[in-house]
Amino acid sequence: MDQGRYTNNQEREEVVVFLIGMHIKKWWAIHKWLPVLLAMPPMLKELTQHKELGCLAFENFWRFRETLSVQYWRSEEELLAYSRSEGHLKAWQRFNQKARNNTSVGIYHENYIVTEGKFESAYVNMPLFGLGKAIGKESMGSKTNSAKQRIGLK
């Protein structure tokens, strides 16, 4: 674990934040939602093994009936190119077949393009995480002590 106060590296023109997840509506219908859940790990493994695809980092979260993967991408172009790649298309088709007309599970995704000067972060005594993990971290200093200072950096 890193000790101290850190922020994300400020030398980035753009970062794409992609959220994808599912909501289990009928927990007792495990045969309906488990295949949907299991469609994601192969794609995450591919993104971990092939950084050249453009996914900088991701974090996964679980709640009682929900999953969420927060992914950080270098560019919108790389995210869209991955969405059209052969490996992803096969996994997405399987995912859609399992999820379509399946009232036991809901799925969603959201995509945010964040430009330079429109993002900031703060980490105190944290391991590499989130945006700092994706684009790098730096120690906070006199010019990066407050969120207002960090968001205003160019």
Side-chain angles (χ1 to χ4, degrees):
M1 179 181 305
D2 292 326
Q3 299 299 315
R5 298 176 65 222
Y6 298 91
T7 186
N8 58 271
N9 182 308
Q10 297 290 334
E11 298 174 14
R12 184 118 201 124
E13 289 182 18
E14 170 182 293
V15 66
V16 177
V17 181
F18 179 66
L19 310 177
I20 187 164
M22 64 175 260
H23 174 81
I24 299 168
K25 295 167 72 177
K26 298 177 182 174
W27 60 266
W28 61 89
I30 191 168
H31 65 289
K32 293 280 198 171
W33 59 261
L34 186 61
V36 176
L37 177 71
L38 295 178
M40 183 59 86
M43 289 184 273
L44 295 175
K45 182 179 179 183
E46 179 182 33
L47 294 173
T48 300
Q49 292 175 341
H50 297 282
K51 289 296 184 186
E52 71 277 6
L53 294 172
C55 183
L56 300 167
F58 59 84
E59 305 288 348
N60 294 313
F61 302 93
W62 296 83
R63 288 199 310 197
F64 175 62
R65 290 184 179 213
E66 295 175 336
T67 67
L68 170 65
S69 180
V70 180
Q71 300 175 10
Y72 302 90
W73 287 77
R74 255 189 317 252
S75 69
E76 179 185 23
E77 292 78 21
E78 287 172 302
L79 173 59
L80 294 174
Y82 179 71
S83 74
R84 294 185 298 267
S85 69
E86 184 179 342
H88 176 266
L89 282 176
K90 286 180 184 177
W92 182 246
Q93 287 169 344
R94 285 191 308 272
F95 183 79
N96 266 331
Q97 288 170 350
K98 303 291 185 189
R100 188 178 293 127
N101 300 320
N102 181 349
T103 60
S104 299
V105 65
I107 58 171
Y108 66 91
H109 82 258
E110 299 176 358
N111 188 7
Y112 304 94
I113 301 167
V114 187
T115 58
E116 180 181 21
K118 301 293 183 186
F119 56 90
E120 71 86 26
S121 60
Y123 309 97
V124 179
N125 301 330
M126 283 286 294
L128 275 178
F129 178 84
L131 192 57
K133 180 178 171 184
I135 64 174
K137 67 177 179 114
E138 56 188 44
S139 293
M140 286 189 198
S142 61
K143 294 182 180 180
T144 57
N145 268 328
S146 72
K148 185 176 179 179
Q149 289 173 310
R150 291 187 298 274
I151 202 86
L153 289 178
K154 303 250 183 217

